[in-house]
Amino acid sequence: MGWNYRERGVLYLHDVPALAALLHVPEDFFHADPRTFTDEGTLTAPWPTTLATARLIAKTHAEALVAHLALTEEQAQRDAIYGRYYRGRGKSPGTYIEPEICAEVDREHKPGRDLVREWCGAEAVDHLAELTALRTEVLRIGKLMEHAIQMLRQSGQTKAAERLERQLGVPLNALSHATPGSA
């Protein structure tokens, strides 16, 4: 997709059949606008086709996009607190972006993320929220089991502790290092 002011929003497709298959649409979907043309194998389509394609991508790959948006927003929150450092290349020392600038950039991009989330649909957003809550609950229960197993061992009931640990199915040291995102 073009980003410069002369080509902003223009869609360039080098493999129309592949994208059509990925989005489950006929190839003529990309040729619907009369301003669309093909030059040297690359389809060039105007903004309405770009927008329709973006919406289709969001709908077709909603869960992956919603998860990516969540990670992007987590990173943006960290950057707004701590700033962001970009390593330099070669002899360049790198660049540090202040937290205030990171927060400002995040505010500018938030409406776009919200729009993509809207295109993904409430079902995908709800599914991610439910999955996140389930992971947090699994982690909480795992920590509770870890504590119970340790208490059983301390009270001399090692057989009961070992039985619970086997039934848990996860080594206790794995629970100690788990985080909500990794559970």
Side-chain angles (χ1 to χ4, degrees), residues 2 15 18 24 34 85 89 103 111 124-125 127 140 143 163 175 179 181:
D15 192 347
H24 311 291
Y85 176 75
R89 293 168 61 177
V125 173
H127 183 260
R140 186 187 73 77
K143 298 273 185 192
R163 188 178 75 247
L175 289 175
T179 61

Side-chain angles (χ1 to χ4, degrees), residues 52-65:
T53 302
R55 285 182 170 163
L56 259 175
I57 289 170
K59 212 41 148 178
T60 308
H61 300 283
E63 289 191 16
L65 266 173

Side-chain angles (χ1 to χ4, degrees), residues 48-90:
T49 305
T50 303
L51 181 61
T53 302
R55 285 182 170 163
L56 259 175
I57 289 170
K59 212 41 148 178
T60 308
H61 300 283
E63 289 191 16
L65 266 173
V66 169
H68 178 74
L69 289 170
L71 291 175
T72 300
E73 288 177 340
E74 286 176 21
Q75 182 64 51
Q77 288 173 353
R78 280 191 298 277
D79 293 348
I81 295 169
Y82 303 109
R84 184 155 191 156
Y85 176 75
Y86 294 94
R87 286 187 0 195
R89 293 168 61 177

Side-chain angles (χ1 to χ4, degrees), residues 94-106:
T95 305
Y96 175 72
I97 309 297
E98 296 289 333
E100 296 79 16
I101 294 172
C102 293
E104 182 181 328
V105 169
D106 180 48

